[in-house]
Structures are given as C-alpha cells and as structure tokens.
Amino acid sequence: MSILPNHHHHHHAATIGRHYHYRHHNHRIYAAATTPTKIKPNLEKLIIKPTTPFVTPPKLDDPSLKSTWPQRAWVATGCTTVLASLAASLVGSVDSHIWVEPILSGFAGYLFADLGSGVYHWGIDNYGDASTPVFGSQIDAFQGHHKWPWTITKRQFANNLHALARVITYTVLPVDLIWHDQPVVMGFVGMASGCIMFSQQFHAWAHGTKSKLPPLVVALQDSGVLVSRSQHAAHHRPPYNNNYCIVSGVWNRVLDENKVFEALEMVFFFKLGRRPRSWSEPNSDWTEELPEDSPAMDN
C-alpha cells in the first residue's frame, strides 16, 4: 500500500525507480531528490571598524585652549613682520610720491587673502587626514572644528593665531628684506599676510554671538568687510560644501554659484582618483554638537 498521495504517486515512483536504477549501476546510495542536503557555511564574525577614532570634545577650561608664551612670541613676531611690510609700503609711497598704486595693491592683497583662505579651507576639509605630511594637524583640527565649532571661540588669541603667525614670519620676512623699497609689492604683501594671519580670528568672530562681540567687529561683519556670522553659519550646515572663505567671504558667492570647487573635485577625481569628503553623505563626524550649557546663538 502506498503512503503517497494519488496525484504524486506516479511522479515519486518514477523518481524512486531512477534512484534504484542509478544505485544498481554505480553501487552507491543517494538521497532522494526531494530531500537535498543543506551545508551550513562557516561564517566569520563581521566586525565594522569606525573610520575615525572615538574622541571627546575639549572642556571649556582645557589647557590646550590657553595661550603659551612661545605662542605669544610667534604672534608678536608675525605681527612685527606684517607691520614691517606695511611700514615699508608707506615709507616708499612718501618717497616716491605714489599713493594710488600701493592702496590698490593692498586691496588686491585683501581679496587674495580671502580667496586663499577659501581654497585652503576647501582642501583640508575634503582631502587627507591626520597622517598627511605637513598639513595633517590642520586637517585633523578642522575636522574636529566641524564637530565642535564653538571651541574656536574659547581659544585664547595667541593660541588661535600662532600657527599662521609662524608661517607668515618664515615666508614674509625674506620678502621684506628683498623688496622693502617697492611700495606696491609691500602693500600687497603686508595686507595679504596680515589678513591671512588674522583669518583665524575673523573665523572665531564668525562663530561668536552678536551680543558678546565688540560693536566694531559686528559693524565690519554687517558691512561685509569681515566674514559675517550668517554667511559662515551656512558652511556648518548640510551639505557642508560651500562658503569656505573666512576673511571677508566676498568670494563665496562667486565660487559657489560658478561651482568652482565642484569642478576642481572632478579634476582631482578623474586625474588622481581621489574622492572629496563633500561627495559622501555627512555622518556624525560632521554633525555639530553644542555644549550642554550653551545658549542659542543670536545673529
């Protein structure tokens, strides 16, 4: 008596018959086709490694935010170098009785500093990491700045400016010695180097609250001489790929509307195979975290 349902009887009989026939000729016993053997794969445990090490925000009284005497010395040296450039331009203008050209060259230096700050800011925001030679510490610092931008307002003056002051001293001092009798050159160099060195202070003011900033600074921000708080705030909102300039911000609209940085990113990608961070979906590393006792910022 068959235990199979009637409508499957012929099918299974044929199947069993085939297996019996196969056993007869090959002297092997096989399992029926309707009961395949399942083999469980040996899977290794999946471990997801974070892309960046876990870090915590600095405390408001963190010693790393305080100025040291070597940092103050570098800022003093940088300021002296910048003032020497401007003084040489002024003296040269008096001696040669030219004024328009040095003033225009100074204005060009001011515009150059804003553009340069944007290009540099874009580069370290999008490429490299803490292990990158020369620029690694700056890249790491700016990544942390996106996470905790308020810390820049807690840094003391020399602590915030000493790195740029050191660079300005090394690069501008030779220029001062060689072209000190060229008022047009000195006008450009003095204004450009001064704005570059103080760009981190302009940046810090852009993160400040209106009620706590000096009225003169607020007036310069509102008039567009210095980068405004509202303009720079847009840089710290998704998609984090605009408003890179931090001196006056005058170049931001030009660069963003004409997609200059997007074009550069395409060139870097197709020529060097390097993807900028701005192409990736922003993650928690770019999401701003406010201190627990921080009040809302006023514009």
Side-chain angles (χ1 to χ4, degrees), residues 242-296:
N242 53 64
N243 291 281
Y244 287 106
C245 300
I246 56 174
V247 173
S248 66
V250 68
W251 284 98
N252 282 327
R253 176 175 292 183
V254 176
L255 295 170
D256 294 340
E257 290 184 352
N258 291 282
K259 302 185 184 301
V260 173
F261 291 128
E262 291 184 24
L264 289 174
E265 289 164 2
M266 294 296 289
V267 172
F268 274 50
F269 178 70
F270 286 110
K271 294 294 184 180
L272 304 176
R274 301 297 301 273
R275 288 175 59 90
R277 276 184 282 271
S278 62
W279 287 11
S280 302
E281 186 71 19
N283 55 32
S284 60
D285 293 337
W286 287 68
T287 304
E288 179 180 350
E289 289 185 359
L290 295 173
E292 294 181 358
D293 59 346
S294 175

Side-chain angles (χ1 to χ4, degrees), residues 145 149 152-153 201-237 242-250 252 288 296-299:
H145 174 69
I152 195 173
T153 66
Q201 186 58 50
F202 304 154
H203 186 189
W205 285 334
H207 283 282
T209 56
K210 185 176 182 179
S211 59
K212 294 182 180 180
L213 291 173
L216 178 59
V217 171
V218 174
L220 293 174
Q221 290 176 335
D222 292 344
S223 63
V225 176
L226 300 180
V227 62
S228 68
R229 301 174 306 284
S230 59
Q231 188 181 77
H232 187 65
H235 175 73
H236 286 270
R237 292 194 295 265
N242 53 64
N243 291 281
Y244 287 106
C245 300
I246 56 174
V247 173
S248 66
V250 68
N252 282 327
E288 179 180 350
M297 290 183 63
D298 57 330
N299 292 323

Side-chain angles (χ1 to χ4, degrees), residues 4-285:
L4 298 174
N6 291 332
H7 61 282
H8 288 297
H9 178 75
H10 297 292
H11 171 74
H12 282 278
T15 302
I16 295 171
R18 286 197 300 271
H19 281 291
Y20 271 43
H21 179 73
Y22 199 72
R23 181 185 64 177
H24 176 74
H25 288 284
N26 296 281
H27 306 289
R28 295 180 183 176
I29 299 175
Y30 286 81
T34 55
T35 58
T37 302
K38 295 183 179 180
I39 301 175
K40 186 177 181 180
N42 183 20
L43 298 177
E44 296 182 358
K45 184 178 180 181
L46 178 63
I47 300 176
I48 300 176
K49 297 181 179 180
T51 56
T52 56
F54 179 76
V55 292
T56 57
K59 297 180 180 180
L60 297 182
D61 59 348
D62 194 313
S64 66
L65 302 178
K66 308 296 183 181
S67 296
T68 64
W69 283 110
Q71 291 171 349
R72 294 186 181 100
W74 276 116
V75 171
T77 304
C79 288
T80 301
T81 304
V82 170
L83 290 174
S85 302
L86 296 175
S89 179
L90 179 61
V91 171
S93 298
V94 172
D95 291 343
S96 58
H97 303 288
I98 59 172
W99 296 98
V100 176
E101 291 87 344
I103 291 174
L104 291 177
S105 68
F107 183 68
Y110 164 74
L111 296 176
F112 173 82
D114 188 56
L115 177 61
S117 73
V119 173
Y120 185 77
H121 191 177
W122 163 77
I124 62 178
D125 260 11
N126 285 283
Y127 300 99
D129 54 32
S131 63
T132 301
V134 181
F135 303 102
S137 61
Q138 284 285 302
I139 294 170
D140 190 46
F142 267 74
Q143 295 308 302
H145 174 69
H146 275 273
K147 188 73 171 176
W148 306 292
W150 48 269
T151 59
I152 195 173
T153 66
K154 307 302 179 182
R155 289 188 179 277
Q156 292 186 345
F157 182 74
N159 182 286
N160 198 24
L161 300 187
H162 76 279
L164 286 173
R166 183 165 58 244
V167 173
I168 291 300
T169 300
Y170 284 132
T171 56
V172 175
L173 186 57
V175 176
D176 288 349
L177 296 175
I178 296 173
W179 285 287
H180 61 89
D181 57 346
Q182 301 292 324
V184 175
V185 174
M186 288 292 95
F188 177 87
V189 170
M191 186 62 71
S193 61
C195 289
I196 289 172
M197 190 177 75
F198 282 91
S199 63
Q200 274 295 79
Q201 186 58 50
F202 304 154
H203 186 189
W205 285 334
H207 283 282
T209 56
K210 185 176 182 179
S211 59
K212 294 182 180 180
L213 291 173
L216 178 59
V217 171
V218 174
L220 293 174
Q221 290 176 335
D222 292 344
S223 63
V225 176
L226 300 180
V227 62
S228 68
R229 301 174 306 284
S230 59
Q231 188 181 77
H232 187 65
H235 175 73
H236 286 270
R237 292 194 295 265
Y240 307 102
N241 63 356
N242 53 64
N243 291 281
Y244 287 106
C245 300
I246 56 174
V247 173
S248 66
V250 68
W251 284 98
N252 282 327
R253 176 175 292 183
V254 176
L255 295 170
D256 294 340
E257 290 184 352
N258 291 282
K259 302 185 184 301
V260 173
F261 291 128
E262 291 184 24
L264 289 174
E265 289 164 2
M266 294 296 289
V267 172
F268 274 50
F269 178 70
F270 286 110
K271 294 294 184 180
L272 304 176
R274 301 297 301 273
R275 288 175 59 90
R277 276 184 282 271
S278 62
W279 287 11
S280 302
E281 186 71 19
N283 55 32
S284 60
D285 293 337

